[in-house]
Amino acid sequence: MRVEWERLEDGKMKSSTKKKKKKRVKHRAYVCGKTTGILSEKLFVMGETLNKSSSLDMDKERSVIASKFKELRAQNATPKELTIAMKELGLQRARLHGWQNTYTFTKVMGEMVLGHLKENLQIVIIRPAVITSTYKEPFPGWIEGVKTVDSFILAYGKGVLKFYYGDPNSKFDAIPGDMVVNTILAAVIAHENQYSQEVVIYHSSSSLNNPLKNSDLMLYAFHYFTKNPWTNKDGKTIKVKAPMRPFSSMASYRKHISTHYLPLLKMLKFVNQVSCHRFEKTYILMKKKIYKVIRLTELYEPYVFFYGSFDEVNTEKLRLAMKEINMDEMLNFDPRCIKWEDYFMNAQIPGAVKYLF
């Protein structure tokens, strides 16, 4: 999507042995790719891919990257050209093996390396889903920086985003940040005096026990900004008139942008040029808004067409272990207690608005 847009806009297109046994807790998310159904707490082994017709060779991947980088340097590529080309290469390699982006691809490679080189170490891996603002600790709605769903919600509240690419009926697997932290702490406690060489994986998610749909999320955002409209830096109130409109196919999404936004931008660009850049600020602002919509689409496509559910057999055992030592209330990481509408209306969205701005 980004490449096509730029064309329209520019007219151009081994490890050392350690005898002492230690423990490690690592974070990994969405290494399952587009897999549907119940996704088990299972480790990816070295060389395994989602595309069963290929095999993942770490040395080969490093060689491909080094070769491409050397080639670009020989061509005197600018830093920007180098960055774009390497990102594109990473995306190509990820998709070759069945993953949708380099984010999940590199995470699964990290798991493989840990499992392959751990020797006599005990490995504990926490796999959180989409991390959202806190449920309770240190207080409801806290978050640091713009994360995941906040980009959509804030862009919508500002009037920048009125539509999105995604299936309204697919699952949006959200988990509050403090529940992820509690899962980590509980895992540390549970494995403190254990010396098993087995790799244990815990899912920190909500899709199985308390599922949330994309349409629910968009409705909550609409209700919130209807009652609490955004006020821009000029003091103007921005009113939302309807929930974000979903586009379930890329063809319809692209057509909408091409029909309603690109002609206006091209016209504004022409007017700006013939008027000695009198409308430069307006043109740049509109261009940034359109780019932001496209960037959000590319970034979150894997999560707005998600139809799987993360199994929590190990995580449920961990909850029971905490209950046995009376730590279940202090370290609550059970998403079944979350009332999603109340959470988004009174914690997630107001927290994003307050703590990010």
Side-chain angles (χ1 to χ4, degrees):
M1 185 66 179
R2 178 178 293 132
V3 174
E4 293 183 6
W5 168 244
E6 287 177 348
R7 287 174 180 169
L8 281 167
E9 181 58 10
D10 299 330
K12 306 171 182 177
M13 285 302 302
K14 189 166 150 225
S15 66
S16 59
T17 301
K18 296 183 180 180
K19 296 181 179 180
K20 187 177 180 179
K21 299 176 181 178
K22 299 180 180 180
K23 305 175 181 65
R24 297 290 184 267
V25 178
K26 298 289 182 181
H27 305 267
R28 298 292 181 262
Y30 280 95
V31 293
C32 60
K34 278 188 173 182
T35 310
T36 59
I38 305 297
L39 310 171
S40 63
E41 294 162 307
K42 170 182 169 291
L43 181 72
F44 279 86
V45 298
M46 184 65 75
E48 182 180 359
T49 67
L50 294 177
N51 179 5
K52 302 304 179 182
S53 62
S54 68
S55 178
L56 180 58
D57 185 326
M58 296 284 188
D59 291 332
K60 181 179 179 180
E61 294 304 317
R62 289 162 57 184
S63 177
V64 168
I65 292 170
S67 177
K68 183 65 175 180
F69 188 81
K70 184 178 180 180
E71 176 189 332
L72 291 166
R73 291 295 296 270
Q75 295 172 354
N76 295 319
T78 65
K80 182 178 180 180
E81 291 171 338
L82 192 62
T83 299
I84 293 173
M86 295 307 292
K87 282 184 176 181
E88 184 62 30
L89 176 62
L91 188 58
Q92 290 174 6
R93 302 307 298 180
R95 289 176 175 172
L96 172 66
H97 298 301
W99 283 273
Q100 293 172 284
N101 51 47
T102 53
Y103 174 77
T104 52
F105 184 44
T106 53
K107 285 188 179 296
V108 78
M109 286 195 290
E111 284 196 5
M112 289 179 183
V113 170
L114 284 174
H116 184 67
L117 300 179
K118 71 181 186 68
E119 296 182 347
N120 62 345
L121 296 180
Q122 180 181 14
I123 304 292
V124 176
I125 296 174
I126 311 297
R127 288 181 181 166
V130 178
I131 301 176
T132 54
S133 62
T134 56
Y135 176 68
K136 184 180 292 185
E137 300 293 340
F139 41 80
W142 179 84
I143 195 166
E144 185 177 26
V146 178
K147 307 294 183 183
T148 57
V149 68
D150 298 314
S151 300
F152 277 103
I153 291 175
L154 296 177
Y156 169 70
K158 292 179 177 181
V160 175
L161 192 61
K162 297 181 180 179
F163 56 93
Y164 73 98
Y165 173 51
D167 184 351
N169 294 312
S170 70
K171 293 179 180 179
F172 185 84
D173 198 322
I175 189 73
D178 51 338
M179 288 195 174
V180 178
V181 172
N182 288 344
T183 305
I184 296 171
L185 295 175
V188 171
I189 294 171
H191 293 270
E192 180 181 7
N193 295 313
Q194 293 185 12
Y195 298 97
S196 169
Q197 295 185 29
E198 178 186 6
V199 177
V200 182
I201 294 175
Y202 295 107
H203 281 153
S204 180
S205 59
S206 62
S207 54
L208 184 65
N209 293 316
N210 191 5
L212 175 70
K213 296 192 299 183
N214 286 326
S215 57
D216 298 328
L217 181 59
M218 303 311 166
L219 190 60
Y220 301 153
F222 171 64
H223 288 165
Y224 179 83
F225 286 110
T226 298
K227 297 178 180 178
N228 308 277
W230 189 281
T231 302
N232 64 21
K233 61 181 180 181
D234 297 323
K236 181 181 178 181
T237 299
I238 299 173
K239 297 181 180 180
V240 296
K241 298 180 180 179
M244 275 187 278
R245 177 184 174 186
F247 287 92
S248 297
S249 74
M250 181 56 77
S252 61
Y253 180 81
R254 289 179 177 177
K255 182 179 179 180
H256 184 79
I257 292 180
S258 298
T259 302
H260 294 84
Y261 295 92
L262 296 187
L264 181 60
L265 184 65
K266 292 177 74 173
M267 183 184 300
L268 184 58
K269 180 180 181 180
F270 173 76
V271 172
N272 183 50
Q273 289 174 336
V274 299
S275 64
C276 299
H277 300 279
R278 182 179 177 183
F279 301 98
E280 185 76 11
K281 185 177 180 180
T282 304
Y283 168 70
I284 292 176
L285 182 59
M286 179 178 287
K287 183 178 178 180
K288 283 184 176 180
K289 286 182 177 181
I290 295 176
Y291 267 114
K292 185 172 184 177
V293 170
I294 295 171
R295 188 167 64 251
L296 287 174
T297 299
E298 295 175 337
L299 187 60
Y300 295 121
E301 181 180 11
Y303 315 110
V304 292
F305 286 97
F306 182 68
Y307 302 99
S309 295
F310 292 108
D311 197 6
E312 291 196 327
V313 173
N314 292 339
T315 307
E316 188 61 29
K317 290 179 181 178
L318 187 61
R319 293 190 188 109
L320 292 175
M322 292 303 102
K323 189 173 183 178
E324 289 177 1
I325 59 174
N326 298 316
M327 291 288 287
D328 53 316
E329 291 189 13
M330 179 178 292
L331 297 178
N332 176 27
F333 52 98
D334 191 342
R336 286 170 289 201
C337 69
I338 304 173
K339 298 184 185 303
W340 288 119
E341 183 171 8
D342 176 70
Y343 168 73
F344 275 97
M345 293 291 289
N346 298 307
Q348 171 69 30
I349 302 178
V353 172
K354 180 178 180 180
Y355 301 118
L356 296 181
F357 294 92

Coordinates of all heavy atoms in Angstrom, one line a residue, residues 36-85:
T36 N -5.8 -20.1 12.6 CA -7.1 -20.0 13.3 C -7.3 -21.1 14.3 O -6.5 -22.0 14.4 CB -8.2 -20.0 12.2 OG1 -8.1 -21.3 11.5 CG2 -8.0 -18.9 11.2
G37 N -8.5 -21.1 14.9 CA -8.8 -22.1 15.9 C -8.1 -21.9 17.2 O -7.8 -20.7 17.6
I38 N -8.0 -22.9 18.0 CA -7.3 -22.8 19.4 C -5.8 -22.9 19.2 O -5.3 -23.9 18.7 CB -7.8 -23.9 20.3 CG1 -9.4 -23.8 20.4 CG2 -7.2 -23.7 21.7 CD1 -9.9 -22.6 21.0
L39 N -5.1 -21.9 19.6 CA -3.7 -21.8 19.4 C -3.0 -22.2 20.7 O -3.1 -21.6 21.8 CB -3.2 -20.4 19.0 CG -4.1 -19.8 17.9 CD1 -3.8 -18.4 17.7 CD2 -3.8 -20.6 16.6
S40 N -2.3 -23.3 20.7 CA -1.7 -23.9 21.9 C -0.4 -23.2 22.4 O 0.2 -22.5 21.6 CB -1.4 -25.4 21.7 OG -0.4 -25.6 20.7
E41 N -0.1 -23.4 23.6 CA 1.1 -22.8 24.3 C 2.2 -23.8 23.9 O 2.8 -24.5 24.8 CB 0.9 -22.7 25.8 CG -0.2 -21.7 26.1 CD -0.8 -21.8 27.5 OE1 -1.2 -23.0 27.9 OE2 -0.8 -20.8 28.3
K42 N 2.7 -23.7 22.7 CA 3.7 -24.6 22.1 C 4.8 -23.8 21.6 O 4.7 -22.8 20.9 CB 3.0 -25.5 21.0 CG 4.0 -26.3 20.2 CD 3.2 -27.1 19.1 CE 4.1 -27.7 18.1 NZ 4.8 -26.7 17.3
L43 N 6.0 -24.3 21.8 CA 7.3 -23.6 21.3 C 7.5 -24.0 19.9 O 7.3 -25.1 19.4 CB 8.5 -24.1 22.1 CG 9.8 -23.4 21.8 CD1 9.8 -22.0 22.2 CD2 11.0 -24.2 22.4
F44 N 7.9 -23.0 19.1 CA 8.4 -23.2 17.7 C 9.8 -23.7 17.8 O 10.7 -23.2 18.5 CB 8.4 -21.9 16.9 CG 7.1 -21.5 16.4 CD1 6.2 -20.8 17.2 CD2 6.7 -21.9 15.1 CE1 4.9 -20.4 16.7 CE2 5.4 -21.5 14.6 CZ 4.6 -20.8 15.4
V45 N 10.1 -24.8 17.1 CA 11.4 -25.4 17.1 C 12.2 -24.8 15.9 O 11.7 -24.3 15.0 CB 11.3 -27.0 17.0 CG1 10.6 -27.6 18.1 CG2 10.7 -27.4 15.6
M46 N 13.5 -25.0 16.0 CA 14.4 -24.4 15.0 C 14.1 -24.9 13.6 O 14.0 -26.1 13.4 CB 15.9 -24.7 15.4 CG 16.9 -24.1 14.5 SD 16.9 -22.3 14.6 CE 17.7 -22.0 16.2
G47 N 13.9 -24.0 12.7 CA 13.7 -24.3 11.3 C 12.2 -24.4 10.9 O 11.9 -24.5 9.8
E48 N 11.3 -24.5 11.9 CA 9.9 -24.6 11.7 C 9.3 -23.3 11.1 O 9.7 -22.2 11.5 CB 9.2 -24.9 13.0 CG 7.7 -25.1 12.8 CD 7.0 -25.5 14.2 OE1 7.7 -25.5 15.2 OE2 5.8 -25.6 14.2
T49 N 8.4 -23.4 10.2 CA 7.8 -22.2 9.6 C 6.3 -22.4 9.5 O 5.8 -23.6 9.7 CB 8.3 -21.9 8.2 OG1 7.8 -23.0 7.3 CG2 9.8 -21.8 8.1
L50 N 5.5 -21.4 9.3 CA 4.1 -21.5 9.1 C 3.8 -21.9 7.7 O 2.7 -22.5 7.4 CB 3.4 -20.1 9.4 CG 3.5 -19.6 10.9 CD1 2.9 -18.2 11.0 CD2 2.8 -20.6 11.8
N51 N 4.7 -21.6 6.8 CA 4.5 -22.0 5.4 C 5.3 -23.4 5.3 O 6.5 -23.4 5.2 CB 5.2 -21.0 4.5 CG 5.1 -21.5 3.0 OD1 4.5 -22.5 2.7 ND2 5.7 -20.7 2.1
K52 N 4.5 -24.5 5.3 CA 5.1 -25.8 5.5 C 6.0 -26.2 4.3 O 6.8 -27.1 4.4 CB 4.0 -26.8 5.6 CG 3.1 -26.6 6.8 CD 3.8 -26.5 8.1 CE 2.9 -26.3 9.3 NZ 3.6 -26.2 10.5
S53 N 6.0 -25.4 3.2 CA 6.8 -25.7 2.1 C 8.2 -25.1 2.2 O 9.1 -25.4 1.3 CB 6.2 -25.2 0.8 OG 6.0 -23.8 0.8
S54 N 8.5 -24.4 3.2 CA 9.8 -23.7 3.4 C 10.4 -24.2 4.7 O 9.7 -24.7 5.6 CB 9.7 -22.2 3.3 OG 9.0 -21.7 4.5
S55 N 11.7 -23.9 4.9 CA 12.4 -24.2 6.1 C 13.2 -23.0 6.5 O 13.8 -22.4 5.6 CB 13.3 -25.4 5.9 OG 14.0 -25.7 7.1
L56 N 13.2 -22.6 7.7 CA 13.9 -21.4 8.2 C 15.3 -21.7 8.6 O 15.6 -22.5 9.5 CB 13.1 -20.8 9.4 CG 13.7 -19.5 10.0 CD1 13.8 -18.4 8.9 CD2 12.9 -19.0 11.1
D57 N 16.3 -21.2 7.8 CA 17.7 -21.3 8.0 C 18.2 -20.0 8.5 O 18.3 -19.0 7.8 CB 18.4 -21.8 6.8 CG 19.9 -22.1 7.0 OD1 20.5 -21.4 7.8 OD2 20.4 -22.9 6.3
M58 N 18.6 -19.9 9.8 CA 19.0 -18.6 10.4 C 20.2 -18.1 9.7 O 20.3 -16.9 9.4 CB 19.3 -18.8 11.9 CG 18.2 -19.2 12.7 SD 17.1 -17.8 13.0 CE 16.0 -18.6 14.2
D59 N 21.2 -18.9 9.4 CA 22.4 -18.5 8.7 C 22.1 -17.9 7.3 O 22.7 -16.9 6.9 CB 23.4 -19.6 8.6 CG 24.0 -20.0 9.9 OD1 24.1 -19.2 10.8 OD2 24.4 -21.2 10.1
K60 N 21.2 -18.5 6.6 CA 20.8 -18.1 5.3 C 20.1 -16.7 5.4 O 20.4 -15.8 4.6 CB 19.8 -19.0 4.6 CG 19.4 -18.6 3.2 CD 18.5 -19.6 2.6 CE 18.1 -19.1 1.2 NZ 17.2 -20.1 0.5
E61 N 19.3 -16.5 6.4 CA 18.6 -15.2 6.6 C 19.6 -14.1 6.8 O 19.5 -13.0 6.3 CB 17.6 -15.3 7.7 CG 16.4 -16.3 7.5 CD 15.6 -15.9 6.2 OE1 15.4 -14.7 6.0 OE2 15.3 -16.9 5.5
R62 N 20.6 -14.4 7.7 CA 21.6 -13.4 8.0 C 22.4 -13.1 6.7 O 22.8 -12.0 6.5 CB 22.5 -13.9 9.1 CG 21.9 -14.0 10.4 CD 22.5 -14.8 11.4 NE 23.9 -14.5 11.6 CZ 24.8 -15.1 12.4 NH1 24.3 -16.2 13.1 NH2 26.0 -14.8 12.6
S63 N 22.7 -14.1 5.9 CA 23.5 -13.9 4.7 C 22.7 -13.1 3.7 O 23.3 -12.2 3.0 CB 23.8 -15.3 4.1 OG 24.5 -15.1 2.8
V64 N 21.4 -13.3 3.6 CA 20.6 -12.5 2.6 C 20.6 -11.1 3.1 O 20.7 -10.2 2.2 CB 19.1 -13.1 2.6 CG1 18.2 -12.1 1.9 CG2 19.1 -14.5 1.9
I65 N 20.4 -10.8 4.3 CA 20.4 -9.5 4.9 C 21.7 -8.8 4.6 O 21.8 -7.6 4.1 CB 20.1 -9.5 6.4 CG1 18.7 -9.9 6.6 CG2 20.3 -8.1 7.0 CD1 18.3 -10.2 8.1
A66 N 22.9 -9.4 4.9 CA 24.2 -8.9 4.8 C 24.5 -8.6 3.3 O 25.0 -7.5 2.9 CB 25.2 -9.8 5.3
S67 N 24.1 -9.5 2.4 CA 24.3 -9.3 1.0 C 23.5 -8.1 0.4 O 24.1 -7.3 -0.3 CB 23.9 -10.6 0.2 OG 24.0 -10.4 -1.2
K68 N 22.3 -8.0 0.8 CA 21.5 -6.9 0.4 C 22.0 -5.5 0.9 O 22.1 -4.5 0.2 CB 20.0 -7.0 0.9 CG 19.0 -6.0 0.4 CD 18.9 -6.0 -1.2 CE 17.8 -5.0 -1.6 NZ 17.7 -5.0 -3.1
F69 N 22.4 -5.5 2.1 CA 23.0 -4.3 2.7 C 24.2 -3.9 2.0 O 24.4 -2.7 1.7 CB 23.2 -4.5 4.2 CG 23.6 -3.3 5.0 CD1 22.7 -2.4 5.4 CD2 25.0 -3.0 5.2 CE1 23.0 -1.3 6.1 CE2 25.3 -1.9 5.9 CZ 24.4 -1.0 6.3
K70 N 25.1 -4.9 1.7 CA 26.3 -4.6 1.0 C 26.0 -4.0 -0.4 O 26.7 -3.1 -0.9 CB 27.2 -5.8 0.9 CG 28.5 -5.6 0.3 CD 29.3 -6.9 0.3 CE 30.7 -6.7 -0.4 NZ 31.5 -8.0 -0.4
E71 N 25.1 -4.6 -1.1 CA 24.7 -4.2 -2.4 C 24.2 -2.7 -2.4 O 24.6 -1.9 -3.3 CB 23.6 -5.1 -2.9 CG 23.0 -4.7 -4.3 CD 21.8 -5.5 -4.7 OE1 21.7 -6.7 -4.2 OE2 20.9 -5.0 -5.4
L72 N 23.4 -2.4 -1.4 CA 22.8 -1.0 -1.3 C 23.9 0.0 -1.0 O 23.9 1.1 -1.6 CB 21.7 -1.0 -0.3 CG 20.4 -1.7 -0.6 CD1 19.6 -1.9 0.6 CD2 19.6 -1.0 -1.7
R73 N 24.8 -0.4 -0.2 CA 25.9 0.5 0.2 C 26.8 0.7 -1.1 O 27.3 1.9 -1.3 CB 26.8 -0.1 1.3 CG 26.1 -0.1 2.6 CD 25.8 1.3 3.2 NE 27.0 2.0 3.4 CZ 27.6 2.0 4.6 NH1 27.2 1.3 5.6 NH2 28.7 2.8 4.7
A74 N 27.0 -0.3 -1.9 CA 27.8 -0.2 -3.1 C 27.1 0.8 -4.1 O 27.8 1.4 -4.9 CB 28.0 -1.5 -3.7
Q75 N 25.8 0.8 -4.0 CA 25.0 1.7 -4.9 C 24.9 3.1 -4.3 O 24.2 3.9 -4.9 CB 23.7 1.1 -5.2 CG 23.7 -0.2 -5.9 CD 22.3 -0.9 -6.0 OE1 21.3 -0.4 -5.3 NE2 22.2 -2.0 -6.7
N76 N 25.6 3.4 -3.2 CA 25.5 4.7 -2.6 C 24.1 5.1 -2.2 O 23.7 6.3 -2.4 CB 26.2 5.8 -3.5 CG 27.6 5.5 -3.7 OD1 28.4 5.2 -2.7 ND2 28.1 5.7 -4.9
A77 N 23.3 4.1 -1.7 CA 21.9 4.4 -1.3 C 21.9 5.4 -0.2 O 22.8 5.3 0.7 CB 21.2 3.1 -0.9
T78 N 21.0 6.3 -0.2 CA 20.8 7.2 1.0 C 20.3 6.5 2.2 O 19.8 5.4 2.1 CB 19.9 8.4 0.6 OG1 18.5 7.8 0.4 CG2 20.3 9.1 -0.7
P79 N 20.5 7.1 3.4 CA 19.9 6.4 4.6 C 18.4 6.1 4.4 O 18.0 5.0 4.9 CB 20.2 7.5 5.7 CG 21.4 8.2 5.2 CD 21.2 8.3 3.7
K80 N 17.7 7.0 3.9 CA 16.2 6.7 3.7 C 16.0 5.6 2.7 O 15.2 4.7 3.0 CB 15.6 8.0 3.2 CG 14.0 7.8 3.0 CD 13.4 9.1 2.5 CE 11.9 8.9 2.4 NZ 11.2 10.2 1.9
E81 N 16.7 5.6 1.6 CA 16.6 4.5 0.7 C 17.0 3.1 1.3 O 16.4 2.1 1.0 CB 17.4 4.8 -0.6 CG 16.9 5.9 -1.4 CD 17.8 6.3 -2.5 OE1 19.1 6.0 -2.4 OE2 17.4 6.9 -3.5
L82 N 18.1 3.2 2.1 CA 18.6 2.0 2.8 C 17.5 1.4 3.7 O 17.2 0.2 3.8 CB 19.8 2.3 3.5 CG 20.7 1.2 4.1 CD1 21.2 0.3 2.9 CD2 21.9 1.7 4.9
T83 N 16.9 2.3 4.5 CA 15.9 1.9 5.5 C 14.7 1.3 4.8 O 14.2 0.2 5.2 CB 15.4 3.1 6.3 OG1 16.6 3.7 7.0 CG2 14.4 2.7 7.3
I84 N 14.2 1.9 3.7 CA 13.0 1.5 3.0 C 13.3 0.1 2.4 O 12.5 -0.8 2.5 CB 12.6 2.5 1.9 CG1 12.0 3.7 2.6 CG2 11.5 1.8 1.0 CD1 11.7 4.8 1.6
A85 N 14.5 -0.1 1.7 CA 14.8 -1.3 1.1 C 15.0 -2.5 2.1 O 14.5 -3.6 1.8 CB 16.1 -1.1 0.3

